[in-house]
Amino acid sequence: MAKKVKNNKRQLILDEAAKLFKAKGFGGTSMRDLGAQVGMEAASMYNHINSKDEILEIICFHVSDTYISQLAQIEQTQASYVDKIKALIHLHIRLMIEDGAAVSVANNDWKYLTADKLEAFKQARKNYEKGFAALIEQGIAAGELQPVNTSVALFTILSAVRWVELWYRPGRGITAEELEENIMTLLLNGLAK
Amino acid sequence: MAKKVKNNKRQLILDEAAKLFKAKGFGGTSMRDLGAQVGMEAASMYNHINSKDEILEIICFHVSDTYISQLAQIEQTQASYVDKIKALIHLHIRLMIEDGAAVSVANNDWKYLTADKLEAFKQARKNYEKGFAALIEQGIAAGELQPVNTSVALFTILSAVRWVELWYRPGRGITAEELEENIMTLLLNGLAK
DNA sequence: CGTAAAAACTAACGGCTGCTAGTCAACCAG
DNA sequence: CTGGTTGACTAGCAGCCGTTAGTTTTTACG
């Protein structure tokens, strides 16, 4: 019980940190800023977390772990390559909508990780990209996809999904489903008629 | 002549600042860091620039001015809507390759602009996006493009081009022309066969 | 060559940073 | 009721920040 309360406060700090890091950047967010947002003095937060760096670590690796485990799951299905890639695009859009602040931090502020954690994060991201790229490559080999450069396709897809987090709000006149459908159409069928 | 030398030093500071801001962020770059990179004490740079904020302003508005003037030029040509959009994509890729650091700063660090400059920058960007979106809208109305949501198409294109700056290096086994051709194919014709 | 302007330097300021130490109240198990 | 753990507080340290002031060196021109 006591443990649960502790976890709640800790999670609150992590959530608010993600929002602030997204809005003002890791360097632009002070522990005093974060304390004000959480409703606590800066020093008090050290009862729940060990350092500012640790907050960034937890956020970044939580996101990368999610992507990696989901990729592994999708790889094991029996779907076509097109459908596997669709599933990955779906995953990216869904995470952007559901946990946009954390994803945004993992995308933009990972470079402020401590040297060793930075290396680990870059390696994790590289592994994810390798797995994603392999799906594209196999899809091309199987004749399901256009014979474009694999890296170009990979990064274009990964980037094309990022803006969602900056733009999408419920009540913009477009639902999450419509949004996803539009992006999927664009990436798979293109803009030209 | 004396003026020219002054401009050179000033430009050197701006160029190195763009590189450092890109690598470590605006907040993560100190004037002492920048001085070391330029080969000068931090204080000495104030003979050439007025403030750290001013450096960011110059970089950001230089980029946005370039985009806006090029858009105006493209709007006035007699090409088809598809070709106008292609020209804009070409512009984005070319600027990313030629002046990647500055474009990166304008994309990522604009939020650290001073309040009034921030407002002006956001307005400029909004105007650019409006002009770009209008071309897409007209292209759809003319039957040249697929009837997707205009905003989705706009932001997908704008984002899909951003990664170039992080990834492209001459000698990666792909030329700028091939890169552009691949991206153009993906965005206009899609990944699926 | 002399002189004035341009551009570099050193030193330092007030303010903010992440974080620690020490204290004290609230709570909960025995 | 009591003892101890938890989690909040205030105060403050050492260090970096952007920037200014004042001084000295370098440069360019008549």
Side-chain angles (χ1 to χ4, degrees):
Chain A
M1 184 65 106
K3 188 73 180 299
K4 195 166 189 180
V5 169
K6 180 185 170 189
N7 280 346
N8 282 345
K9 271 282 166 60
R10 184 183 153 102
Q11 197 55 51
L12 175 64
I13 292 172
L14 294 173
D15 289 346
E16 294 301 322
K19 288 187 213 165
L20 280 182
F21 290 172
K22 175 194 160 191
K24 316 203 291 173
F26 178 71
T29 303
S30 74
M31 292 301 284
R32 288 165 178 86
D33 289 341
L34 179 53
Q37 201 66 28
V38 174
M40 197 183 284
E41 289 302 312
S44 304
M45 289 187 294
Y46 286 82
N47 285 316
H48 304 280
I49 50 103
N50 291 317
S51 68
K52 190 189 178 189
D53 288 330
E54 193 200 43
I55 296 177
L56 182 62
E57 274 169 40
I58 296 171
I59 294 172
C60 286
F61 283 96
H62 166 71
V63 171
S64 69
D65 288 351
T66 304
Y67 278 120
I68 286 169
S69 72
Q70 293 278 336
L71 170 64
Q73 207 168 310
I74 288 169
E75 278 172 335
Q76 286 175 356
T77 62
Q78 303 292 335
S80 68
Y81 293 114
V82 168
D83 283 343
K84 284 179 178 173
I85 289 168
K86 275 186 176 178
L88 277 173
I89 296 173
H90 169 76
L91 167 68
H92 277 262
I93 295 174
R94 193 177 59 81
L95 277 185
M96 273 292 185
I97 289 175
E98 288 178 4
D99 203 6
V103 174
S104 180
V105 170
N107 276 335
N108 299 315
D109 289 335
W110 56 270
K111 55 185 155 188
Y112 304 114
L113 286 166
T114 312
D116 55 335
K117 302 289 176 178
L118 178 65
E119 224 44 53
F121 183 83
K122 280 158 89 170
Q123 194 57 52
R125 200 181 48 171
K126 196 179 248 178
N127 286 340
Y128 178 75
E129 289 169 359
K130 232 178 225 171
F132 201 148
L135 288 182
I136 295 174
E137 202 135 12
Q138 291 160 12
I140 294 172
E144 291 183 31
L145 305 178
Q146 298 229 36
V148 291
N149 180 290
T150 310
S151 293
V152 173
L154 170 66
F155 291 114
T156 301
I157 291 173
L158 290 181
S159 303
V161 152
R162 281 220 210 167
W163 62 272
V164 170
E165 191 271 324
L166 297 168
W167 180 84
Y168 178 79
R169 306 228 180 330
R172 260 240 201 221
I174 187 168
T175 67
E177 286 75 21
E178 287 169 343
L179 178 71
E180 184 177 325
E181 203 180 295
N182 272 279
I183 294 178
M184 216 73 100
T185 301
L186 263 172
L187 289 177
L188 291 172
N189 302 329
L191 180 61
K193 216 164 194 173
Chain B
M1 182 67 105
K3 188 73 181 301
K4 197 165 187 181
V5 168
K6 179 184 171 188
N7 280 346
N8 282 345
K9 271 281 165 64
R10 185 184 154 100
Q11 196 56 50
L12 175 64
I13 293 172
L14 294 174
D15 289 346
E16 295 301 323
K19 288 187 213 164
L20 280 182
F21 291 172
K22 175 194 159 192
K24 316 203 291 172
F26 178 71
T29 304
S30 75
M31 292 300 284
R32 288 165 178 87
D33 289 341
L34 179 53
Q37 201 66 29
V38 173
M40 197 182 284
E41 290 301 314
S44 304
M45 289 187 293
Y46 286 81
N47 284 318
H48 305 281
I49 49 103
N50 291 318
S51 69
K52 191 188 179 189
D53 288 331
E54 191 199 46
I55 296 177
L56 182 63
E57 273 169 41
I58 295 172
I59 294 172
C60 287
F61 283 97
H62 166 71
V63 171
S64 69
D65 287 352
T66 304
Y67 277 119
I68 285 169
S69 73
Q70 293 278 338
L71 171 63
Q73 207 168 309
I74 288 169
E75 277 172 337
Q76 285 175 355
T77 62
Q78 304 292 334
S80 67
Y81 292 113
V82 168
D83 283 343
K84 283 180 178 174
I85 289 167
K86 275 186 175 178
L88 277 173
I89 296 173
H90 169 76
L91 167 67
H92 277 261
I93 295 174
R94 193 178 58 81
L95 276 185
M96 271 294 185
I97 289 176
E98 288 178 5
D99 204 5
V103 174
S104 182
V105 170
N107 276 336
N108 299 316
D109 290 335
W110 56 268
K111 56 184 155 189
Y112 303 114
L113 286 166
T114 312
D116 53 337
K117 302 289 175 178
L118 177 64
E119 224 45 52
F121 183 83
K122 281 159 89 172
Q123 194 57 53
R125 201 182 48 172
K126 197 179 247 177
N127 285 340
Y128 177 76
E129 289 169 359
K130 231 177 227 171
F132 201 148
L135 288 182
I136 295 174
E137 202 135 13
Q138 291 160 13
I140 294 173
E144 291 183 31
L145 305 178
Q146 299 229 36
V148 291
N149 180 291
T150 309
S151 293
V152 173
L154 170 66
F155 290 114
T156 301
I157 291 174
L158 289 181
S159 303
V161 151
R162 282 219 209 167
W163 62 272
V164 170
E165 192 269 325
L166 298 169
W167 179 85
Y168 178 79
R169 304 228 182 331
R172 260 243 200 217
I174 187 169
T175 66
E177 286 75 21
E178 288 168 343
L179 177 72
E180 184 177 326
E181 203 179 296
N182 273 280
I183 294 178
M184 215 72 99
T185 300
L186 264 171
L187 289 177
L188 292 171
N189 302 330
L191 181 61
K193 216 164 193 173

